[in-house]
Every structure is written in structure tokens, then in C-alpha cells.
Amino acid sequence: MTPPELSTSPPVTASTDPAPRVIAADAPFIVVMNAGSGRRQSDETRAALDDILGRAGRKFEVRLVADPSQLADTARQAVRDAKAQNAVVVGAGGDGTLCAVAEAVLGSGCAFAVLPRGTFNYFSRDHGIPADPAESIRLLLDARAFPVQVGFLNERMFLVNASLGLYPKLLEDREIYKRQFGRSRLIALWSAAVTLLRTHRHLRLHIEHDGTMHEVRTSTLFVSNNRLQLEQIGMAEAPQLERGLLAAIAPRAIGRLAQLGLTLRGAAGRMSDADNVISFAFKRITVTHQSKRQRPVKVATDGEINWIIMPLEFRVAPEPLFLLKPEADVANANRS
């Protein structure tokens, strides 16, 4: 629901979007690949690249990142080399890996492409990019680069979502369960249920939106830049993302069982029907804690956990990321 005290920002018209870019037929590809997805998956991806791009006569190179702390530096070097070679920078991995590579690409003038290798792959699915390795690689050969919206939490970019409060804890616990039991959506859902049944504290936040300050008491503030994710949980703000806005969701302070029930309602695609959920679309908001103390808070951006000192500013990036993706009709068919 959208409470009366939190209004939706005016939409941005589609006519302001830059035109899509045609990629040169001989443009090479520099692939930044996260080795954390597993040796077998990395080998399969490399073999598919050799087969499909090799037969098409397209040059490419793979830069495998074994140490996650080196991902950002590797991505920045890939962008520098891509600018010199008129190449396309390709991220291969889950949403966190794709975000790290995309952050290096944004504003560089280079086109960006993805080979989805994660558990949920919300970013690629939202833009109609196939999960099948061979299909996503073939897409590189003839797709145009379309402008897509990205968000920022202070200086950290996000492609899918950013959050503070309970949601980062859910992600941390999910990673522990994945290391123990493997990567699957079922494990992720089970981990979430266990976490929600534990005791959790509520946040007392001040949210400045459109020049007005509002007090919100919630377990988590979740900001989405992904229409597919919002549609899956049944949020009415999903279409607003295509109008240049982000969507915020904050459940009102409720108990553990009620929190679990709200999560189940979201899994059934009916969260917008809940009376205890605040939701609104916006272009920029500033979030502070009621205590006014400048203290670090745990945040998550596309699954990556960090500590940031308040105030927190969530905003739409002023420039788009140019993503190789299918034409609109094909993308809509591939979003499920």
C-alpha cells in the first residue's frame, strides 16, 4: 500500500532515455568471471565461449577472479582495456558479481553484457537475458545495447536492490546455509524462514522524501530496482521502475510470526494487500536514524554486505548503463 503521507514522485517520461547503441560486428569481448561459482561452471562457460564465439570469429578473453577482493580492480582494468580496444565488458556470475563489473562500466562509454550464473539471476531475468549459457553467449553476437536504470546507496551502485535492517541479516544467514547445504532456491527460502523466527530489533528511521521528513518504525527498509522481483511479491509500484523511479518497501513493526506471515504473503504474490506494509516510489530519499548519532549500519547492495555511516541516500543514477539485451518483445517473453 502507499500511505497518504508518502507520495509518489512524478514520473520521468520515456522520451528522455538515450537511444540504444549498435555494437560493431567485430567488437571483442572481455569477460570478467567469478570463479566462486565453481570450477565446473567456470570450465563449462569457457568451453561454450570457445565454441560459440570462436565459430563466429569473434575475439574474446576471460579474466577469472578467484579472490573476491580483487573483483573490483579486475573489472576496472577490464574497462580500461575495453576502451582501448572498443570492446564489450561482460560480467559472468551472480547479481553481486554483475553489479561489481557494471559499476566499473557505468559512465565509461563501454557497453556491458552479462552471462548469468547465480541462484536467482534477478537482473538478467528482468531484462530477458536467458539463463542457459549457450543462449546468453549467442545473444552477445547480435544484441544492441539498451539504456537501463541503476540505483545508488550513497556511493555504492546496485542493479537489483539495496537494504538495511533485517534483510542484510537474511542474506548473511542464507550464505551460511548455502555453504553447508548447497546453492538452491529451496535452501534460500528455508534459511529465510529460520531467520525470521528469531528475535530481531526494529529500526526507528527518519525518511526525507520530496522535502518532507517522515518517521518509520520497521524491521527493514528494502529498496528495489527490479520490476520482476516486485511483481513476484505483488507490489503495485513495479511499473514505476520503468518511469525512472525506485521502489521502497518497509513493513511496519510487527512480531516474528506476523513477519513470517508477511513473507509468505509475498511468496504468494500478495504483499501489496497487506495493511502493515509501507511502500512508495521515489527518485531520491535520505534515511537517518532517530537517535541522530552518526554510526555505521549494516547494508546490503545486490547481496553484498557492507557497513556505511548514516545518513543513507538512495537515488536513481543520473546516467544509464548500456546493456546488451534482447529487443523488447523477446525480453518480455524471457522474463519468467
Side-chain angles (χ1 to χ4, degrees), residues 40-59:
R40 178 179 176 182
Q41 191 175 74
S42 298
D43 289 345
E44 289 175 349
T45 301
R46 191 187 294 267
L49 287 164
D50 284 331
D51 178 40
I52 297 169
L53 298 186
R55 284 191 288 109
R58 296 291 288 274
K59 295 180 180 179

Side-chain angles (χ1 to χ4, degrees), residues 111-126:
F112 177 59
V114 303
L115 302 179
R117 299 294 178 269
T119 303
F120 291 96
N121 297 317
Y122 275 117
F123 178 69
S124 57
R125 289 165 61 203
D126 194 35

Side-chain angles (χ1 to χ4, degrees), residues 1-332:
M1 61 175 288
T2 302
E5 69 272 16
L6 286 171
S7 61
T8 298
S9 301
V12 176
T13 60
S15 60
T16 62
D17 291 340
R21 299 174 180 174
V22 176
I23 304 303
D26 59 349
F29 302 98
I30 300 178
V31 183
V32 180
M33 187 185 304
N34 183 4
S37 56
R39 174 67 181 273
R40 178 179 176 182
Q41 191 175 74
S42 298
D43 289 345
E44 289 175 349
T45 301
R46 191 187 294 267
L49 287 164
D50 284 331
D51 178 40
I52 297 169
L53 298 186
R55 284 191 288 109
R58 296 291 288 274
K59 295 180 180 179
F60 74 94
E61 60 174 298
V62 175
R63 302 185 181 182
L64 195 63
V65 182
D67 182 355
S69 67
Q70 298 300 312
L71 180 59
D73 287 340
T74 302
R76 285 191 288 266
Q77 184 59 56
V79 170
R80 287 192 289 267
D81 295 341
K83 291 173 69 174
Q85 303 172 31
N86 292 320
V88 175
V89 180
V90 184
D95 287 327
T97 297
L98 302 185
C99 182
V101 180
E103 188 165 7
V105 174
L106 186 69
S108 69
C110 296
F112 177 59
V114 303
L115 302 179
R117 299 294 178 269
T119 303
F120 291 96
N121 297 317
Y122 275 117
F123 178 69
S124 57
R125 289 165 61 203
D126 194 35
H127 293 288
I129 297 170
D132 179 78
E135 291 183 19
S136 61
I137 293 171
R138 290 191 189 98
L139 181 65
L140 302 179
L141 296 173
D142 53 20
R144 292 190 295 166
F146 290 83
V148 300
Q149 173 178 291
V150 301
F152 272 87
L153 167 51
N154 288 11
E155 300 308 313
R156 295 186 178 276
M157 194 182 88
F158 59 94
L159 299 175
V160 180
N161 59 58
S163 60
L164 68 152
L166 180 59
Y167 193 75
K169 177 60 177 173
L170 288 170
L171 297 177
E172 285 184 320
D173 291 350
R174 187 177 75 185
E175 287 305 308
I176 294 173
Y177 272 74
K178 283 182 177 180
R179 285 194 292 269
Q180 292 178 340
F181 304 110
R183 292 183 174 271
S184 73
R185 297 186 186 186
L186 183 61
I187 294 299
L189 293 173
W190 172 253
S191 169
V194 172
T195 302
L196 289 171
L197 287 173
R198 295 177 184 148
T199 301
H200 54 269
R201 69 184 184 90
H202 293 114
L203 304 171
R204 295 179 179 272
L205 303 176
H206 284 164
I207 301 178
E208 183 181 354
H209 177 234
D210 285 347
T212 305
M213 188 72 74
H214 309 276
E215 294 184 5
V216 176
R217 187 166 182 259
T218 181
S219 60
T220 192
L221 175 63
F222 181 88
V223 174
S224 177
N225 185 46
N226 190 271
R227 176 167 179 163
L228 174 62
Q229 192 174 48
L230 292 177
E231 288 177 341
Q232 285 185 340
I233 62 175
M235 297 306 300
E237 287 78 12
Q240 299 278 21
L241 302 187
E242 295 184 359
R243 302 188 179 109
L245 301 173
L246 301 171
I249 304 171
R252 299 184 190 277
I254 53 179
R256 285 174 287 175
L257 290 177
Q259 185 79 56
L260 181 58
L262 183 63
T263 301
L264 294 174
R265 182 187 289 269
R270 297 173 48 240
M271 187 171 286
S272 63
D273 297 337
D275 292 332
N276 52 7
V277 173
I278 299 169
S279 62
F280 59 99
F282 67 92
K283 199 167 187 67
R284 181 189 302 264
I285 58 173
T286 301
V287 179
T288 55
H289 196 271
Q290 244 180 15
S291 67
K292 303 296 184 182
R293 288 183 296 171
Q294 285 192 334
R295 61 179 183 177
V297 294
K298 186 182 295 185
V299 301
T301 51
D302 288 347
E304 302 299 316
I305 308 298
N306 289 282
W307 290 86
I308 299 180
I309 295 177
M310 285 190 166
L312 305 180
E313 182 185 63
F314 296 86
R315 67 186 188 277
V316 176
E319 59 184 317
L321 180 72
F322 279 87
L323 174 70
L324 266 67
K325 55 183 284 189
E327 303 292 329
D329 292 343
V330 178
N332 290 336

